[in-house]
Each structure stands twice: as structure tokens, then as C-alpha cells.
């Protein structure tokens, strides 16, 4: 069970857009951190808001930090560009190897279903994924337990027979507490949550994770 944004798809594909909107490509990281902060806070409070709304709502405050303002066209372009993110270089081979080894490969993202389908199709990954699930189907965002449980029920799989693979410590923690095994991919030097138990597997890339899962 793969997360999508940052785990499979490279958000660095948005850097030039943030360079044009706010004048600094590094603002993309600030923006995504704010998106995650908002999503986690709303989820912890028991609220739900589609991720796309959070994505666009977090753009204006980042632009304001750089003395810029955001137009409706900027927000629309951000949504369009997120649908066309490229896959990380290690993704295609890892997915193929897992499927060739007999594993069923699915995705679970906080993005809505149609958005996720566009992302997978535009990145050339859709044919390598057996099913694409959205947290929107459960009415809660990850790391709440409901999205993971929704996929397990839909797939008819016990938690102990599933592995959540993600580049986010909060996602790995959510899956672990829902009973799944976990694999953390350390994109850009990221680390799992220090206050929680270690993931089942940690590795710098999906190639290594696929090798260990197959082994």
C-alpha cells in the first residue's frame, strides 16, 4: 500500500511554479509543510476537508511571507501541476519488481479519487498499480485509522498481511497503529517520527524496500 505524494511522485516538479509565484523555489517545501500541518490539525480535531481545498488554502500565506499575492489563476495552476507530477526515478522498477514477485500493489493517498487517478495516469504509473484508493472514500485523512482500514476491508486483507510504504513519518505511524507493517523511504534525508516505534523497514529508496519485501 503506497502513499503517493512525495513517496511515488516528486514534488520538486513544482519548484519552478513556486519560483514564479513567490519568487523562491524553496517556498514549495514551506507550502507542503503547511499543507501537512493543516491536514494533521483538522484530522486530530475530528474534522474533514478535501486535500485539494487545503492545498490551495495554504498557498496565499506562503506567498505573503515573500511579499507576494496569489491569484485564482495561481491556485488553479497549482492544482493542474500537481496532477502532472513526475515519478521519482526509483518508482517504476520497484513497482514492477513487487508485482512480478506476486505482490498486489495499491495506493492510498489523501488526495481525492479523481485527482489520484490523474496523478498516476499522467506519471505513467497507473498500469503498475492494481487499485488506487483515496482517504476521501473513508471521510477521514491519514493518519486517522479509517483510510487504512477502508483499504484493508476493500482488499480483504488482514492488517498483518499489509505493508504501508510512505515517505512521511506521520503516515507510517498512522498505519502502524492501524495494525499494518510499515516501510519508510527516507526521501531527501527525512526521518520517521522519533516519538514512535521504528518502522518495520527503513531505507533510502524504494529499490531497497522492494528488495527487502521480496526477500
Amino acid at each position: 500500500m503506497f502513499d503517493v505524494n512525495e513517496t511515488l511522485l516528486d514534488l520538486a516538479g513544482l519548484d519552478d511554479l513556486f519560483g514564479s509565484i513567490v519568487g523562491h523555489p524553496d517556498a514549495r517545501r514551506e507550502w507542503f509543510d503547511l499543507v501537512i500541518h493543516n491536514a494533521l490539525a483538522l484530522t486530530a480535531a475530528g474534522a474533514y476537508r478535501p486535500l485539494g481545498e487545503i492545498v490551495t488554502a495554504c498557498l496565499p500565506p506562503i506567498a505573503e511571507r515573500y511579499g507576494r499575492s496569489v491569484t485564482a489563476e495561481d491556485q488553479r495552476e497549482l492544482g493542474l501541476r500537481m496532477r502532472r507530477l513526475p515519478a521519482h526515478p526509483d518508482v517504476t522498477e520497484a513497482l514492477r519488481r513487487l508485482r512480478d514477485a506476486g505482490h498486489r500493489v495499491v495506493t492510498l493517498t489523501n488526495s481525492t479519487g479523481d485527482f489520484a487517478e490523474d496523478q498516476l495516469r499522467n506519471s505513467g504509473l497507473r498500469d503498475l498499480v492494481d487499485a488506487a484508493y483515496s482517504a476521501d472514500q473513508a471521510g477521514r485523512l491519514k493518519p486517522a485509522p479509517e483510510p487504512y482500514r477502508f483499504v484493508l476491508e476493500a482488499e480483504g486483507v488482514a492488517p498483518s498481511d499489509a505493508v504501508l510504504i510512505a515517505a512521511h513519518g506521520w503516515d507510517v505511524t498512522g498505519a502502524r497503529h492501524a495494525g499494518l507493517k510499515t516501510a519508510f523511504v527516507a526521501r531527501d534525508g527525512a526521518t520517521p517520527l522519533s516519538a514512535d516505534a521504528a518502522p518495520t523497514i527503513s531505507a533510502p529508496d524504494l529499490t531497497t524496500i522492494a528488495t527487502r519485501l521480496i526477500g
Side-chain angles (χ1 to χ4, degrees):
M1 187 187 304
F2 282 89
D3 173 53
V4 176
N5 292 308
E6 285 199 312
T7 302
L8 298 181
L9 304 183
D10 189 357
L11 290 181
L14 299 173
D15 286 354
D16 63 328
L17 177 64
F18 275 84
S20 64
I21 293 176
V22 304
H24 205 298
D26 288 349
R28 185 263 302 173
R29 297 179 185 272
E30 298 178 48
W31 159 78
F32 197 64
D33 285 346
L34 187 60
V35 169
I36 297 302
H37 181 81
N38 275 258
L40 292 177
L42 288 167
T43 301
Y48 174 75
R49 190 174 181 186
L51 186 67
E53 295 181 9
I54 300 174
V55 161
T56 54
C58 289
L59 184 58
I62 297 300
E64 288 171 9
R65 293 180 189 177
Y66 290 85
R68 300 288 189 94
S69 59
V70 169
T71 66
E73 178 59 26
D74 291 331
Q75 292 176 309
R76 188 184 75 84
E77 182 63 20
L78 175 59
L80 291 174
R81 291 286 293 273
M82 282 200 71
R83 291 177 184 259
R84 301 195 299 266
L85 290 172
H88 285 288
D90 58 348
V91 172
T92 299
E93 179 188 358
L95 296 184
R96 283 178 176 159
R97 289 182 60 199
L98 287 169
R99 293 187 75 188
D100 289 346
H103 291 283
R104 182 165 169 82
V105 174
V106 304
T107 58
L108 173 61
T109 177
N110 275 342
S111 301
T112 57
D114 67 319
F115 198 97
E117 288 286 353
D118 279 353
Q119 287 186 307
L120 293 171
R121 185 168 53 252
N122 291 334
S123 61
L125 300 179
R126 188 62 184 89
D127 289 344
L128 300 174
V129 173
D130 294 301
Y133 294 98
S134 165
D136 187 63
Q137 293 171 283
R140 296 289 304 281
L141 295 177
K142 298 183 293 178
E146 288 87 352
Y148 310 104
R149 292 172 180 166
F150 179 89
V151 176
L152 294 173
E153 183 175 350
E155 291 288 322
V157 174
S160 59
D161 291 329
V163 182
L164 184 281
I165 304 168
H168 306 118
W170 53 266
D171 201 355
V172 166
T173 288
R176 189 182 80 80
H177 286 276
L180 286 75
K181 296 181 177 69
T182 57
F184 178 79
V185 54
R187 300 280 190 210
D188 298 324
T191 59
L193 297 189
S194 56
D196 196 27
T200 312
I201 297 171
S202 288
D205 53 65
L206 291 183
T207 302
T208 303
I209 289 175
T211 297
R212 292 185 63 181
L213 288 174
I214 292 169

